[in-house]
Amino acid sequence: MQNNKCSFFFIFLLVSSMKVDAQSNLNLLRQGNKSFDKKQYNTAETYYRKALAKDSTQVKGLYNLGNAQYKQNLYDESLENYNKALQNPLLTAKQKSSLLYNIGNVQLQNKDYEKSIASYKESLKIQPKDQDAKYNLAYAQKMLKAQQNQQNQQNQQKQNKDNKDNKDNKDQNKQSQNKDQNKKDNPDQNKKNPNSPPENDENKQDPNKQGRRPDQMKQADAERMLNALDNQEKNTLDKIKKQKVPVQNKHIEKDW
């Protein structure tokens, strides 16, 4: 009789302990939900993590934790927790549909449009009347089409650039071949003419010099140059005297 009392007392303590843990877990989830409603997502995440520390497989904890992380733009972390919750065999149809919808939202944020479309379709198979899922599905399909058009345009631009580069390379190679062929056909074109007079170093102009200064000239050369200038000036004056140049009056026209 005494052994039965001990067994009964042990079971009572075990059940009581389980009730206390369940109550504590539920309180943590409630605290997390309150913080979530106040948009205190980081605080809500802390409460949900504490609840999951007591039971890491509970769907509500994983689902709510994923939502809090999604609100903080922690998309990879939220997707991980949504997928963990999705593995629970005790999911209701509504829970599974909601998880698939949220997974689609994460994939949409990550611009993984093909996967998001698949997730929304799976969600709609369970809840065909879900207007939010229908709207997001249409939006994801639109974004996927735009993404594909942009990718096709970029591929076309790259192909056009590659074709142009190939054409330019061919033209350059052709020009180079023509030059080489000309050199073969006219091997002496760059050689000096043997009949041309030899170059005189004195005739070469130094690019750093404007010419020899007067003090470098010989006296006789200087006198000849002065006499030549005098004769040229005298001839010019004589020509001007012989010619009758009429005076021209310039009229300035106004712009109308």
Side-chain angles (χ1 to χ4, degrees), residues 9-221:
F9 182 71
F10 176 77
I11 294 173
F12 175 78
L13 289 176
L14 181 62
V15 172
S16 298
S17 177
M18 291 175 63
K19 286 183 178 180
V20 171
D21 287 342
Q23 189 66 31
S24 175
N25 191 295
L26 184 60
N27 287 335
L28 289 170
L29 290 176
R30 286 174 178 172
Q31 291 295 324
N33 293 341
K34 288 181 181 180
S35 298
F36 189 93
D37 292 339
K38 295 177 181 178
K39 298 183 179 181
Q40 299 172 351
Y41 304 120
N42 186 267
T43 303
E45 180 182 355
T46 301
Y47 281 116
Y48 295 142
R49 287 188 180 278
K50 288 181 178 179
L52 286 168
K54 297 178 179 297
D55 182 4
S56 61
T57 61
Q58 58 177 315
V59 174
K60 288 184 179 180
L62 291 169
Y63 179 82
N64 291 355
L65 176 59
N67 290 343
Q69 291 170 330
Y70 180 89
K71 290 293 186 179
Q72 298 176 79
N73 300 329
L74 302 173
Y75 300 126
D76 293 338
E77 291 85 343
S78 64
L79 183 61
E80 182 180 355
N81 286 300
Y82 289 148
N83 283 324
K84 285 181 180 179
L86 197 62
Q87 303 305 315
N88 194 309
L90 301 178
L91 282 177
T92 65
K94 185 177 180 179
Q95 287 174 332
K96 186 174 182 179
S97 178
S98 297
L99 281 167
L100 288 168
Y101 172 82
N102 284 5
I103 288 173
N105 288 345
V106 173
Q107 292 163 338
L108 186 64
Q109 292 292 341
N110 288 334
K111 297 182 179 181
D112 196 347
Y113 300 123
E114 290 186 357
K115 288 185 178 180
S116 68
I117 290 170
S119 297
Y120 291 136
K121 286 182 177 180
E122 289 297 319
S123 177
L124 285 167
K125 286 180 181 179
I126 302 171
Q127 289 186 304
K129 296 181 179 181
D130 189 341
Q131 295 299 320
D132 291 334
K134 288 181 180 180
Y135 177 85
N136 285 10
L137 172 60
Y139 179 78
Q141 290 172 331
K142 178 181 178 181
M143 295 304 295
L144 175 61
K145 185 176 180 180
Q147 186 184 61
Q148 290 173 340
N149 290 338
Q150 183 180 10
Q151 185 64 42
N152 291 336
Q153 185 177 3
Q154 290 175 350
N155 291 338
Q156 185 62 41
Q157 291 175 349
K158 183 178 183 300
Q159 184 176 357
N160 291 340
K161 184 178 181 300
D162 291 342
N163 291 338
K164 183 179 181 301
D165 292 342
N166 291 334
K167 183 178 180 301
D168 292 342
N169 290 334
K170 289 180 180 179
D171 291 342
Q172 290 178 358
N173 292 335
K174 187 175 181 180
Q175 291 176 359
S176 178
Q177 291 174 358
N178 290 338
K179 289 181 180 179
D180 294 340
Q181 187 63 37
N182 289 334
K183 289 181 180 179
K184 292 180 180 179
D185 294 341
N186 302 289
D188 297 331
Q189 65 178 354
N190 294 324
K191 293 183 179 180
K192 295 181 180 178
N193 188 348
N195 297 323
S196 61
E199 293 183 356
N200 190 345
D201 292 338
E202 293 182 357
N203 294 331
K204 292 183 180 179
Q205 183 177 359
D206 189 343
N208 296 322
K209 296 181 180 179
Q210 297 295 332
R212 290 188 294 179
R213 297 189 304 272
D215 59 352
Q216 293 177 319
M217 297 181 184
K218 294 181 180 179
Q219 185 66 29
D221 293 338

